[in-house]
Amino acid sequence: MEYFDKEYCLEVWGDMACFTRPELKVERVSYDVITPSAARAVFESIFWKDAIRWEVTKIEVLNPIKWTAIRRNEVGAVAGKNIKSIYIEEKRQQKNALLLKDVRYRIYAKLIFIPVRDRKNMKHDPGFDENPGKYNAMFERRAAKGQCFNQPYLGTREFAASFRLIDKNAEDLRPAIDENRDFGIMLYDMDFSDIKNVQPMFYRAKMVQGAIMVPAYNSEEILR
């Protein structure tokens, strides 16, 4: 059971972005717009605790959708138990990438407070010292000051994102692009309910007058 959800709005932007399509394994090709999971990650980079979760509700596209193609060097190996050291010159691979450029979005998400009694692996309630207002205030203070625990990024870590907290009810907000488009099936998020069998979730993304309404996590619109 979840309580006292409050919606916030961030404006995020960057020079380049890559929201990788999972069905394309070799070459990196971005979705046309930011995915809900990437938008959620921006909010989590500013503030996250086990007492809350972020649920993205709407995405507004503020800049026209533009593309660019680049070739990047990647390392074709991962260090682990069987590979203790990697010689970059031997494992270097050149791959093409189709990226977005000059992106700017307004992303909306609810900060949903989860009481201790409803959190996993918690067997008792420590008292009455926790409340949703505390977490709302912590996020608002950090976002207003531009503070973050990790640098937010636009799909991949090399594409850093700038952000600012927005009053969603302000009358002078920059309008979204005047465009309607059906993006088809898009990655929604990952289902971590079974940590040994993490599964992707998808949804049908439709943009109307520059705005994409994102269904709730438990909505029937989510394809699992």
Side-chain angles (χ1 to χ4, degrees), residues 33 39 46 51 54 68 105-106 114-115 130 140 146 187 202 210 222:
V33 294
I46 300 169
W54 289 103
T68 186
Y105 307 104
R106 257 194 316 268
I114 307 171
E130 286 200 332
E140 291 168 10
L187 180 68
F202 299 88
I222 303 301

Side-chain angles (χ1 to χ4, degrees), residues 37 51 164 201 205-206:
S37 58
R164 65 187 181 108
M201 301 182 293
K206 294 182 179 181

Side-chain angles (χ1 to χ4, degrees), residues 202-215:
F202 299 88
Y203 82 115
R204 184 72 174 267
K206 294 182 179 181
M207 181 171 68
V208 179
Q209 296 295 294
I212 302 168
M213 303 306 298
V214 180

Side-chain angles (χ1 to χ4, degrees), residues 23-40:
E23 68 269 24
L24 301 176
K25 301 293 186 179
V26 179
E27 309 292 348
R28 293 187 184 274
V29 178
S30 177
Y31 282 113
D32 298 67
V33 294
I34 188 172
T35 61
S37 58
R40 170 184 56 77

